[in-house]
Amino acid sequence: MTQTVTEFEVHDIRFPTSQQLDGSDAMNPDPDYSAAYVVIRARDGAEGHGFCFTIGRGNDVTAAAIEALRPYVVGRPAPRTAADLAALHTALTHDSQLRWLGPEKGVTHMAAGAVVNAAWDLAARSAGLPVWEFLAAMTPEDLVSLVDFRYLTDVLTRDEALAILRTAEPGRIERARRLREDGYPAYTTSPGWLGYSDEKLVRLARQAVADGFAQIKLKVGGDLDDDVRRMGLVRAAVGPGVRIAVDANQRWDVAEAVRWMTELAPYEPHWIEEPTSPDDILGHAAVRAGQPVKVATGEHAANRVVFKQLLQAGAVDFVQIDAARVAGVNENLAILLLAAKYRVPVCPHAGGVGLCELVQHLAMFDFVAVSGSWEDRVIEYVDHLHEHFADPAVISRGRYRAPHAPGFSARMLPESIAAHRYPEGPVWRARLRTAEGITP
C-alpha cells in the first residue's frame, strides 16, 4: 500500500552568529544564521528534512511560506521515485496563486525548495543512499524528467540535456570511486569575514593554508583603501601560490565595481563574487568586460532563468548554485545542465547553516553524472554550525569527503532545534532577557 505523508513540521531556527561577527560582510554586517526548517513524515516512519537559509529577521516569514505548502504534502503519497519527485516539484512551483507572489522567485520559491529538498531527503533515505548517489544512479531519462524546461528551450532542449547526461554516463562508476577516495576540492571563507581584525584575518588565512586549502575568500566592499590593505596582508601571509577570491555581496554599481577591482587586481584575486545586483545580467557582463578579474555569481540568483541569461550574456566565469535559494534539487539540476552546455565551471555557494551539508551532494552528483569534471571547481566551506547536524560535512586536507549516510545530510539534531527555536528556545530566551537588561 502506498504510504502517505502524515506529519509536516515547520520550525523557526536561529543561531546568534552576530555576536562574534561570523558571516559579516559589506551588505550584511550582523547576520544571525537561521533556517526555516521543515520535517515531513510518512505513515511508515520515513522522514525527510529540508530548510531555507536566512540571516535572521524574516525567517518567520519564510517559515510561514513553507507552512502554506502543507496541503500539497500531507495526505499525499510520500515521494520515493523520480516520477514522484518531479510531480511534487511541479505541484509546488505551479500553484497559480502562490506563484503570483514571485513568480518563481523570492520567499515562496525558496519555501518550495525547502519542501522539495525534504522530499529528496526522504526518498534517498528510503533508498538507503546519500542524495548524490541516489541522483547519480538514475538514468539520463529519469534525470531529464525532473527538469522544468519551460523558459529554457531557446538554449537547452530536452534532447540536448539527454545528450549531456548520456555523454557522462560511461564514466560514472570510475568517477564515483575517485570521489570516494579523494574527496571534492573545497575553498574556505572562514578567514575573510569583514568584521574580523587584521590579526584574526592573517592568522586564519595562514591556518587555512596549513589545513590544506588552496583557495580562500575575503569579503570586500566596505572601504577601498581598507580592502587594498587587507588584500595585501593576506597575499603576503599566504604567498603567491594560493588563490584568493573576493566577494562584494552585491555592494557596488557597475562603474564602482570596475574601479574597485582594478585597484585590487595587482594582488591577483581569483574571482570577484557578486560585484553588483544579482538580477543585473548586463551589469555583470559589463563588470566582466571592464576589468581583469574573473566574475562569479549565483547564490542570490532567483531561478534557472537568471542563470540562463547570465550564461547567454557571457556574464560569468563561475556559476555559483545555492542548494536552498532556488526550488530545490530539481531546479539546481536544470542549472547544472545549463552550465554544462556552456562549459562554465560550477563552484557552489555554501556556509550559512547547513548549506555545506546540502550543496556537497549537488556538486558531487555534477562531477559523477553531468559535467564529469572538477577542473577549476571548488565548493565553498565555512566552519560554522556543523555540530548541529546528524551527518555534518567532513573536510580533510582541503577537500569534502563524500557523504555515505543515506539522505541529504539535512537532519538537524533534535536538541539543537529545541535550543535554537525562535523566540522560545532557551538560547533566545536568555539573549532576549539580556537585551532587556534582565539577568538570565
Side-chain angles (χ1 to χ4, degrees), residues 353-361 386 389 391-393 400 408-410:
V353 53
L355 295 183
C356 296
E357 279 67 27
L358 294 186
V359 83
Q360 61 181 335
H361 290 269
H386 303 290
F389 288 85
D391 181 30
Y400 276 83
F408 212 171
S409 308

Side-chain angles (χ1 to χ4, degrees), residues 23 28 34 65 102 104 167 222 227 245 254 296 342 353 373 385 397 405-406 422:
N28 308 290
S34 305
E104 295 188 68
T167 297
D227 283 348
V254 170
Y342 282 88
V353 53
S373 173
L385 308 174
R397 298 302 300 165
Y422 185 88

Side-chain angles (χ1 to χ4, degrees), residues 149-438:
F149 283 93
R150 184 169 53 182
Y151 311 136
L152 301 184
T153 55
D154 54 324
V155 301
L156 180 70
T157 66
R158 186 179 300 270
D159 287 345
E160 287 176 309
L162 268 175
I164 290 168
L165 294 165
R166 286 172 178 162
T167 297
E169 195 172 18
R172 285 186 185 185
I173 293 173
E174 172 57 24
R175 286 191 294 274
R177 181 199 63 77
R178 187 178 174 195
L179 182 63
R180 292 187 190 96
E181 290 184 359
D182 298 342
Y184 195 103
Y187 76 92
T188 181
T189 307
S190 293
W193 303 115
L194 204 58
Y196 285 178
S197 67
D198 288 353
E199 182 277 328
K200 188 172 184 178
L201 170 68
V202 169
R203 173 172 52 83
L204 292 178
R206 287 176 173 155
Q207 185 61 54
V209 175
D211 289 341
F213 290 100
Q215 179 175 325
I216 60 176
K217 188 168 77 180
L218 306 186
K219 299 294 184 173
V220 296
D223 176 84
L224 178 54
D225 290 339
D226 193 48
D227 283 348
V228 170
R229 182 183 58 78
R230 291 170 69 247
M231 190 74 175
L233 286 172
V234 175
R235 179 54 77 197
V238 302
V242 175
R243 290 175 170 178
I244 305 174
V246 295
D247 184 357
N249 291 95
Q250 315 158 34
R251 180 72 176 183
W252 302 318
D253 286 343
V254 170
E256 191 175 17
V258 170
R259 178 174 66 89
W260 213 287
M261 292 313 302
T262 300
E263 292 291 323
L264 290 177
Y267 298 98
E268 299 183 329
H270 183 54
W271 72 53
I272 172 57
E273 182 174 331
E274 285 199 315
T276 192
S277 165
D279 299 324
D280 191 352
I281 285 87
L282 297 182
H284 277 85
V287 172
R288 185 171 183 248
Q291 50 78 49
V293 180
K294 293 180 178 180
V295 170
T297 198
E299 73 178 84
H300 282 89
N303 52 45
R304 64 200 183 282
V305 179
V306 176
F307 283 97
K308 180 189 80 167
Q309 293 185 350
L310 286 165
L311 292 163
Q312 281 180 298
V316 288
D317 297 282
F318 302 97
V319 164
Q320 295 180 302
I321 60 171
D322 184 285
R325 169 67 57 176
V326 300
V329 171
N330 301 57
E331 191 163 26
N332 268 310
L333 173 54
I335 297 162
L336 292 174
L337 288 164
L338 285 164
K341 163 77 181 286
Y342 282 88
R343 300 184 182 277
V344 174
V346 176
C347 297
H349 168 249
V353 53
L355 295 183
C356 296
E357 279 67 27
L358 294 186
V359 83
Q360 61 181 335
H361 290 269
L362 301 177
M364 291 176 187
F365 159 69
D366 175 66
F367 170 63
V368 173
V370 184
S371 70
S373 173
W374 57 34
E375 182 179 355
D376 257 348
R377 297 162 190 264
V378 280
I379 308 171
E380 185 173 19
Y381 179 74
V382 178
D383 192 16
H384 293 160
L385 308 174
H386 303 290
E387 66 274 14
H388 298 288
F389 288 85
D391 181 30
V394 176
I395 291 283
S396 176
R397 298 302 300 165
R399 300 177 82 91
Y400 276 83
R401 308 310 303 179
H404 56 82
F408 212 171
S409 308
R411 184 164 67 93
M412 197 176 285
L413 297 172
E415 55 269 31
S416 293
I417 293 174
H420 294 89
R421 188 181 289 114
Y422 185 88
E424 68 271 19
V427 167
W428 288 102
R429 287 203 310 270
R431 192 177 190 213
L432 292 169
R433 285 198 299 269
T434 300
E436 292 167 357
I438 302 170

